[in-house]
């Protein structure tokens, strides 16, 4: 199942992606993607997504803790 982790700062998204790549080496490093909201005029409002696939159960609990630490959400 695909999970999207959402952050307001690129640095946070990249740090989380790198950490997840270390924790779950079988998945590789997750993609970091910039997502602008429909109708947004200001590019500063763009959010950063970390796309994670193949995690479930206890792994998602670890992902949630890490995401919250960087003020993001799943």
């Amino acid at each position: 199942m695909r999970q999207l982790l959402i952050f307001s700062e690129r640095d946070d998204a990249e740090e989380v992606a790198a950490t997840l790549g270390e924790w779950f080496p079988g998945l590789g490093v997750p993609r970091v993607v910039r997502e602008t909201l429909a109708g947004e005029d200001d590019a500063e409002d763009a959010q950063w997504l970390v796309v994670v696939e193949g995690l479930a159960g206890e792994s998602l609990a670890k992902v949630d803790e890490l995401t919250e630490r960087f003020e993001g959400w799943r």
Side-chain angles (χ1 to χ4, degrees):
M1 178 181 291
R2 179 178 294 159
Q3 305 293 324
L4 299 177
L5 312 178
I6 302 163
F7 302 91
S8 59
E9 300 295 328
R10 180 181 186 168
D11 291 343
D12 293 342
E14 290 176 344
E15 181 70 24
V16 168
T19 300
L20 292 176
E22 292 172 8
W23 287 359
F24 307 105
L27 299 176
V29 177
R31 287 184 303 145
V32 175
V33 181
R34 187 170 190 186
E35 180 65 40
T36 55
L37 301 174
E40 288 293 333
D41 293 330
D42 188 356
E44 295 296 317
D45 290 335
Q47 295 179 324
W48 293 91
L49 309 179
V50 176
V51 182
V52 182
E53 297 191 45
L55 294 179
E58 288 183 29
S59 297
L60 288 178
K62 284 183 71 172
V63 170
D64 287 342
E65 287 177 25
L66 178 64
T67 301
E68 289 176 18
R69 196 176 332 147
F70 285 87
E71 298 181 7
W73 54 280
R74 175 168 61 95

